[in-house]
Amino acid sequence: MAKKIVTFGEIMLRLAPDNYLRFNQVDHYEATFGGAEANVCVSLSNYGYDTSFISILPNNDIAQCAINTLRKFNVNTDNILRKGNRIGIYFCEKGASERPSKVIYDRKGSSISCAKLEDFDWDKIFDNASWFHLTGITPALGENLPNICMEALKKAKEKNINTSLDLNYRKKLWSKDEAKESITKLCPYIDILISNEEDAKDVFGIEAKDTNIDDGKINVEGYKEVAKELIEKYHFEKVAITLRESFSANDNAWSSVLYDNKNFYISKKYNMHIVDRVGGGDAFAAGLISGFLDELNMQDIIEFASASSCLKHSIQGDFNLVSKEEVQSLVKGNIRGRVQR
């Protein structure tokens, strides 16, 4: 039986101009769907796992399209509650050269923001589950959601289900102080913390030395200390951090570190020419979870996760539409993009 992963969050309608056009240049948008926890489900489903996405969506045709999209990728949607008035929306303008990408949210009052504790039967949801994943986005979405996330994590731990949280700090959703207060309360129930090169600083105030994100300078040794401090302070079992070196909106270097409270593991570095960077962190989280569920050694886990994310940057849209075999091929060194015949 395939190992079951449960994620909890919001799937949104994504509206994006074609190619690299700006918002003020277009009269039509490409409509797709995405959202951090849904993205993780799609990746893991493509890797052959049993996945279940938990959310709340309105009972209308657009929300049904979102559900149908998840079903197309074999994500279980049986526990998505249908109530409320609207699906969240985000607008995505892709950056180019020195112009950064831009995201505008239109999700206030979306169905999941009105969630209540009694909406979710976590005993039923976690039946036969091996892993529970969520992000720091979900507790930022509504006044009841921090407590709902807490209840879900507590129930997962009662059932000996592995738990992971990707910090995913979003300054357009809440302040750093609000994020720290809420997420700190969740920390005792989280086995594996996932962060990018900025999130630990934004949420916990833990900063890597000799690193300047704005000019693309990353000090890997500094992030070893960040991971070590996170475990010492919050008692996670493991911490994984992605390291993005931005040379421009189109060209980044990508690597990551994993710390298990004993040893540090550093992935190889990829020099990426980006098609779409949205969802890159979610692809990393999915690759990490896959590696742990497959019981790979630590070095192989971080290599698989980094390669998963690298490939996502080559794919338009939120979802990482690659197979486990494609990721393994990149891990083995197939980096030249030659035609497969």
Side-chain angles (χ1 to χ4, degrees):
M1 183 174 67
K3 294 178 180 178
K4 176 181 172 181
I5 300 99
V6 176
T7 75
F8 171 50
E10 180 172 43
I11 187 169
M12 295 174 287
L13 175 66
R14 166 178 162 155
L15 298 176
D18 290 336
N19 297 314
Y20 294 98
L21 293 176
R22 305 212 69 187
F23 291 138
N24 60 11
Q25 290 181 286
V26 300
D27 57 8
H28 66 278
Y29 290 84
E30 178 188 35
T32 55
F33 297 95
E37 295 84 359
N39 299 343
V40 171
C41 265
V42 170
S43 283
L44 287 165
S45 182
N46 286 332
Y47 295 157
Y49 298 100
D50 180 5
T51 63
S52 179
F53 178 64
I54 313 303
S55 193
I56 303 178
L57 286 169
N59 190 14
N60 62 34
D61 290 346
I62 303 302
Q64 189 60 50
C65 285
I67 290 173
N68 292 347
T69 298
L70 291 171
R71 289 175 177 168
K72 181 173 71 173
F73 296 108
N74 296 316
V75 174
N76 185 294
T77 61
D78 292 349
N79 289 306
I80 294 179
L81 192 64
R82 306 300 294 275
K83 70 172 193 175
N85 297 317
R86 67 184 301 254
I87 186 172
I89 301 170
Y90 86 95
F91 298 83
C92 181
E93 177 188 279
K94 288 203 299 183
S97 190
E98 280 67 45
R99 174 173 59 85
S101 296
K102 181 184 290 187
V103 168
I104 297 173
Y105 290 123
D106 179 15
R107 61 201 300 183
K108 187 175 181 179
S110 64
S111 289
I112 197 171
S113 71
C114 304
K116 300 177 180 179
L117 279 168
E118 58 267 27
D119 287 334
F120 304 98
D121 182 351
W122 294 107
D123 279 309
K124 175 186 174 185
I125 289 167
F126 287 142
D127 187 38
N128 293 320
S130 300
W131 201 288
F132 177 52
H133 176 77
L134 75 162
T135 78
I137 295 171
T138 302
L141 295 178
E143 60 179 338
N144 294 322
L145 280 160
N147 288 333
I148 294 171
C149 290
M150 175 72 80
E151 184 180 68
L153 284 164
K154 284 183 176 179
K155 182 60 68 173
K157 296 315 298 174
E158 283 177 21
K159 294 178 172 290
N160 294 315
I161 295 168
N162 293 303
T163 60
S164 56
L165 182 138
D166 189 340
L167 285 175
N168 266 0
Y169 175 67
R170 298 289 184 266
K171 64 183 180 182
K172 293 184 178 181
L173 297 180
W174 57 355
S175 70
K176 293 177 182 179
D177 288 341
E178 289 171 324
K180 183 175 182 179
E181 179 182 3
S182 180
I183 292 175
T184 298
K185 293 176 182 177
L186 303 180
C187 287
Y189 307 98
I190 297 164
D191 298 324
I192 298 174
L193 184 80
I194 303 166
S195 175
N196 68 17
E197 67 284 341
E198 296 180 274
D199 286 342
K201 175 185 174 183
D202 288 335
V203 177
F204 295 119
I206 300 174
E207 185 175 2
K209 296 178 181 178
D210 300 321
T211 286
N212 188 321
I213 302 300
D214 293 331
D215 67 9
K217 181 183 177 183
I218 296 288
N219 174 28
V220 175
E221 294 300 317
Y223 284 98
K224 288 182 179 181
E225 293 305 312
V226 170
K228 188 174 181 180
E229 186 173 346
L230 284 167
I231 285 184
E232 288 175 350
K233 197 167 186 177
Y234 299 103
H235 310 294
F236 307 115
E237 290 183 10
K238 299 174 182 70
V239 169
I241 303 175
T242 59
L243 304 176
R244 182 187 298 275
E245 300 170 67
S246 294
F247 310 122
S248 71
N250 302 98
D251 295 287
N252 293 179
W254 183 258
S255 60
S256 58
V257 298
L258 175 63
Y259 180 51
D260 65 359
N261 205 22
K262 295 179 182 178
N263 299 299
F264 291 94
Y265 304 89
I266 305 172
S267 78
K268 68 180 70 172
K269 183 183 292 188
Y270 297 98
N271 293 315
M272 306 182 301
H273 186 73
I274 296 171
V275 171
D276 192 338
R277 64 169 285 175
V278 176
D282 306 322
F284 175 83
L288 200 74
I289 293 167
S290 174
F292 281 115
L293 289 176
D294 285 352
E295 299 181 355
L296 304 180
N297 66 52
M298 291 296 171
Q299 188 63 47
D300 288 343
I301 288 170
I302 198 64
E303 296 292 1
F304 187 88
S306 288
S308 296
S309 184
C310 176
L311 288 174
K312 165 61 196 78
H313 287 76
S314 72
I315 297 169
Q316 176 70 22
D318 269 51
F319 297 154
N320 191 22
L321 306 180
V322 299
S323 67
K324 186 178 287 188
E325 291 73 23
E326 288 175 306
V327 178
Q328 290 167 338
S329 176
L330 180 57
V331 170
K332 291 175 182 177
N334 183 11
I335 63 172
R336 302 302 178 191
R338 293 177 63 85
V339 176
Q340 303 297 302
R341 302 184 192 274

